[in-house]
């Protein structure tokens, strides 16, 4: 069995105790063990701060952008091996594994190119210069100056490659050294991905450290120039947020957490049309892709009362075509859940939803997987429920079942009513709206736009180009209000803001404009 290693103080560290064991989620065979026992977190932090930080800070955005592009090139060479590891470690299908790995490469490439386009700068300009007095001599300007601390990245199990790539790309481009901590259950894939990045030596020593296993006292040691970017469950986020030493340290904390995402069908959309087809295709994919283990997956589906029966029948047929099993079997379209505890939580979660919704498709229990030994594996078939009174319900709006599970409900066709139902989720990462009626879209945006981080509008004109509402593109912000954590990642240059300080600078216009224009003092 493989023992995964951390990388701290410029070297690989193998723990000797306190191991967690990883199993193949299709067969339950043991595949690797993970522990961070023995890591000196204080020394690891100081090494990143004193060695990696200054080496990165010496470089400009273009140089660091070139490094990200080189990193993406190197990691792409490992793609086939990573896909195979992903099948073994997470039970992902090849397509799901590519979604994670290619998503990471795409984010690294996007930010590499962004670095090139920013050029030989060491800080960024925010907005226009401002005249501050009667004469135009006294001048003001806002600048973004990169922080001089360490970025600690804590990732969820469901995106072992993308979670690392999308966070590291932004921090490294800003010149902040990264300590990345993947979730334990999918650390076999994450460790392999980060190991290639470290071994490539594309970035200077100390720029990238890896912790497999727990974070020990790391979060107690952070300071005001440091950043924690966390992705995971809202309950974990709460315990991190309320860690007194972290809260008192002045370190920034960005949280990407749970989300009860919703898909809304507009009243103008009817069966047989292009927009209807894209709605059904998206919703079916969002339920089954990565076995529903996506923070952006659709959990609630709101359709006009008049369309309810047709949507239910067509969605049930689509889900019935999905084949749950071991992705090593080529006929399988959906893999297992990642761990025994995820399976247990999904079974309990559906039981909770069933208190206020009826089963339309699926059993809400473990099933045997095609191509897997009977009785083994964490398989859970696509599950659709219907709630007849979404206004009175609470669990469907509040309880995220992290699996291939969604609840269908009707609304009266009024955009404001649909927006109110969506907002019952307490803040979502993404809401998808399917309509060709511009007035409906505008009404929905006005009533419910602030309850979501991203509004994805599916319509006839873009039907052929839509990537699916669950795809977090690096050009657009990822993150949502309230329950979703209130964080912001990606979104082009917006994703860099977490790792920089916005500074208001005022003085002689000639000096300020020179700083804003060329960065040469
Ligand atoms: P989780 O149990 O909250 O774990 C997330 C990460 O936090 C893991 O790396 C975990 O490490 C670590 N962790 C746990 N307790 C910690 C502590 N006290 N201090 C420091 N780190 C700690 O979540 P998960 O089960 O991996 O992921 C599923 C959840 O993530 C779902 O709720 C999903 O919605 C959410 N998610 C959100 C997004 C988003 O962008 N909003 C993306 C993906 C997933 P160990 O694994 O070692 O315990």
């Amino acid at each position: 069995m493989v023992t995964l290693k951390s990388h701290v103080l410029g070297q690989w560290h193998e723990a000797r105790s306190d191991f967690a064991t990883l199993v193949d989620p299709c067969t339950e065979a043991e595949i690797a063990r993970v522990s961070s026992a023995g890591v000196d977190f204080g020394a690891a932090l100081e090494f990143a701060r004193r060695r990696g930080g200054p080496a990165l800070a010496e470089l400009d955005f273009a140089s660091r952008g070139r490094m990200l592009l080189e990193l993406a090139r190197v990691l792409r060479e490992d793609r086939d091996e990573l896909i195979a590891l992903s099948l073994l470690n997470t039970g992902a299908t090849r397509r799901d594994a590519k979604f994670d790995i290619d998503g990471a490469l795409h984010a690294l490439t996007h930010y590499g190119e962004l670095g090139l386009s920013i050029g030989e700068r060491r800080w960024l300009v925010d907005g226009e210069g401002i005249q501050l007095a009667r004469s135009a001599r006294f001048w003001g300007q806002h600048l973004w100056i990169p922080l001089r601390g360490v970025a600690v990245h804590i990732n969820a199990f469901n995106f072992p490659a993308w979670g690392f790539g999308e966070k590291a790309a932004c921090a490294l481009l800003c010149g902040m050294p990264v300590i990345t901590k993947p979730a334990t259950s999918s650390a076999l894939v994450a460790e392999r991905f980060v190991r290639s990045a470290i071994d490539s030596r594309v970035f200077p020593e100390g720029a990238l450290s890896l912790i497999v296993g727990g974070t020990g006292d790391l979060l107690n040691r952070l300071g005001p120039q440091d950043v924690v970017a966390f992705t995971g469950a809202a309950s974990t986020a709460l315990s991190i947020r309320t860690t007194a030493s972290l809260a008192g340290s002045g370190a920034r904390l960005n949280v990407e957490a749970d989300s009860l995402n919703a898909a809304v069908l507009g009243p103008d959309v009817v069966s047989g049309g292009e927009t209807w087809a894209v709605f059904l295709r998206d919703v079916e994919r969002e339920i089954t892709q990565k076995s529903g283990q996506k923070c952006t997956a659709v959990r609630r589906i709101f359709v006009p009362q008049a369309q309810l029966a047709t949507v239910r029948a067509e969605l049930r047929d689509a889900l019935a075509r999905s084949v749950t099993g071991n992705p090593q079997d080529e006929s399988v379209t959906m893999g297992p859940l990642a761990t025994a505890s995820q399976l247990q939580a999904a079974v309990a979660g559906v039981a909770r939803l069933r208190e206020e919704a009826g089963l339309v498709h699926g059993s809400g229990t473990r099933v045997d997987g095609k191509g897997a030994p009977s009785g083994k594996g964490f398989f859970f078939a696509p599950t659709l429920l219907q709630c007849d009174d979404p206004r009175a319900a609470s669990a469907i709006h509040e309880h995220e079942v992290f699996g291939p599970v969604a609840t269908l409900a009707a609304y009266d066709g009024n955009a404001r009513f649909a927006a109110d139902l969506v907002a019952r989720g307490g803040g979502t990462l993404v809401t998808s709206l399917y309509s060709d009626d511009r007035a409906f879209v505008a009404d929905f945006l006005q009533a419910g736009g602030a309850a979501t981080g991203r509004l994805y509008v599916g319509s006839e004109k873009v039907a052929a180009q839509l990537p699916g509402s669950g795809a977090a593109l690096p050009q657009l912000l990822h993150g949502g209000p309230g329950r979703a954590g209130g964080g912001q990642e990606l979104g082009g240059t917006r994703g860099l803001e977490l790792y920089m300080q916005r500074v208001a600078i005022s003085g002689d216009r000639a000096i300020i404009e020179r700083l804003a224009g060329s960065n040469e003092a």
Side-chain angles (χ1 to χ4, degrees):
M1 189 171 31
V2 190
T3 302
L4 303 183
K5 296 183 186 132
S6 296
H7 192 271
V8 288
L9 302 163
Q11 50 198 317
W12 292 100
H13 167 87
E14 185 169 326
R16 307 239 173 273
S17 62
D18 303 333
F19 290 104
T21 303
L22 309 193
V23 301
D24 176 341
C26 293
T27 62
E28 301 181 37
E30 296 185 351
I31 52 175
R33 57 182 196 161
V34 179
S35 168
S36 63
V39 168
D40 181 339
F41 292 98
L45 187 64
E46 278 314 291
F47 186 79
R49 201 191 295 292
R50 306 270 167 244
R51 188 73 69 91
L56 285 168
E58 254 178 40
L59 305 168
D60 54 38
F61 277 91
S63 309
R64 294 190 295 255
R66 269 190 290 279
M67 289 175 165
L68 287 177
L69 291 174
E70 175 59 9
L71 190 60
R73 190 194 65 74
V74 170
L75 293 175
R76 197 166 286 117
E77 288 174 4
D78 295 339
R79 189 169 173 271
D80 288 342
E81 191 190 335
L82 285 161
I83 291 170
L85 273 183
S86 189
L87 262 67
L88 177 69
N89 183 189
T90 70
T93 61
R94 284 184 66 78
R95 189 180 292 195
D96 289 346
K98 287 183 204 164
F99 187 68
D100 177 37
I101 293 157
D102 293 346
L105 299 176
H106 186 44
L108 289 165
T109 304
H110 175 84
Y111 279 97
E113 287 169 354
L114 183 64
L116 293 187
S117 74
I118 292 171
E120 294 167 4
R121 288 175 171 269
R122 289 167 200 279
W123 54 77
L124 303 184
V125 175
D126 177 39
E128 301 291 314
I130 313 150
Q131 183 174 325
L132 296 171
R134 242 174 308 132
S135 103
R137 197 71 209 180
F138 186 44
W139 200 247
Q141 175 73 59
H142 292 94
L143 299 175
W144 284 109
I145 312 290
L147 296 174
R148 289 287 170 258
V150 175
V152 176
H153 291 165
I154 301 176
N155 283 313
F157 77 87
N158 57 331
F159 280 103
W162 180 79
F164 160 70
E166 57 105 16
K167 284 186 172 64
C170 292
L172 291 170
L173 186 56
C174 291
M176 278 189 92
V178 169
I179 299 180
T180 188
K181 181 260 180 289
T184 295
S185 63
S186 57
L188 184 59
V189 185
E191 189 257 11
R192 179 69 186 82
F193 203 54
V194 181
R195 179 149 48 89
S196 287
I198 292 169
D199 287 348
S200 71
R201 297 181 185 273
V202 169
F203 279 92
E205 192 174 57
L208 193 50
S209 307
L210 166 70
I211 290 169
V212 294
T215 50
D217 61 357
L218 179 65
L219 300 187
N220 300 334
R221 296 175 169 276
L222 300 181
Q225 288 282 308
D226 298 328
V227 173
V228 177
F230 167 82
T231 297
S235 52
T236 313
L238 180 64
S239 82
I240 290 178
R241 268 189 217 283
T242 51
T243 301
S245 50
L246 179 63
S249 70
R252 286 188 193 169
L253 173 62
N254 190 76
V255 171
E256 301 289 342
D258 305 1
S259 180
L260 279 294
N261 308 298
V264 177
L265 184 69
D268 58 301
V269 184
V270 289
S271 177
E274 193 96 41
T275 308
W276 178 279
V278 81
F279 159 76
L280 270 183
R281 187 185 69 205
D282 274 6
V283 170
E284 187 268 336
R285 177 176 42 206
E286 291 308 316
I287 294 173
T288 56
Q289 190 175 47
K290 290 177 79 24
S291 311
Q293 298 169 114
K294 262 186 351 196
C295 51
T296 50
V298 168
R299 307 290 177 203
R300 299 172 296 155
I301 310 156
F302 299 120
V303 304
Q305 183 69 50
Q307 316 288 15
L308 182 67
T310 319
V311 169
R312 185 176 56 223
E314 294 192 19
L315 203 46
R316 192 169 43 197
D317 288 352
L319 293 175
R321 288 193 286 275
S322 149
V323 181
T324 305
N326 186 340
Q328 309 285 359
D329 180 321
E330 287 189 357
S331 67
V332 164
T333 60
M334 197 184 85
L337 299 182
T339 62
S341 63
Q342 290 299 323
L343 173 63
Q344 208 175 20
V347 171
V350 170
R352 186 158 169 208
L353 299 184
R354 287 183 73 180
E355 290 166 15
E356 50 192 44
L359 268 182
V360 171
H361 182 78
S363 63
T365 56
R366 182 198 169 276
V367 296
D368 269 345
K370 180 144 192 256
S374 173
K376 291 282 184 193
F378 314 129
F379 299 101
F380 192 92
T383 302
L384 182 67
L385 299 104
Q386 179 178 319
C387 175
D388 293 331
D389 192 356
R391 270 214 276 207
S394 56
I396 67 159
H397 302 294
E398 291 168 9
H399 188 72
E400 179 199 49
V401 182
F402 210 58
V405 179
T407 305
L408 180 64
Y411 74 102
D412 64 1
N414 182 316
R416 281 152 206 255
F417 185 62
D420 282 350
L421 285 176
V422 172
R424 293 279 309 277
T428 65
L429 288 172
V430 56
T431 299
S432 45
L433 191 58
Y434 298 84
S435 176
D436 295 286
D437 178 348
R438 292 176 194 178
F440 180 82
V441 175
D443 281 351
F444 185 91
L445 181 66
Q446 190 185 351
T452 194
R454 181 158 62 86
L455 185 64
Y456 167 100
V457 184
S459 64
E460 195 178 333
K461 293 265 166 47
V462 289
Q465 299 171 44
L466 292 173
S469 56
L473 304 175
Q475 297 91 333
L476 294 178
L477 274 178
H478 174 65
R483 186 193 308 281
Q488 292 197 341
E489 290 183 335
L490 301 174
T493 51
R494 293 171 190 84
L496 307 183
E497 293 173 4
L498 178 63
Y499 304 103
M500 298 192 289
Q501 175 63 38
R502 187 194 261 130
V503 178
I505 176 163
S506 60
D508 178 353
R509 180 172 184 172
I511 296 175
I512 307 284
E513 286 193 332
R514 193 161 166 75
L515 291 174
S518 70
N519 298 331
E520 302 296 334

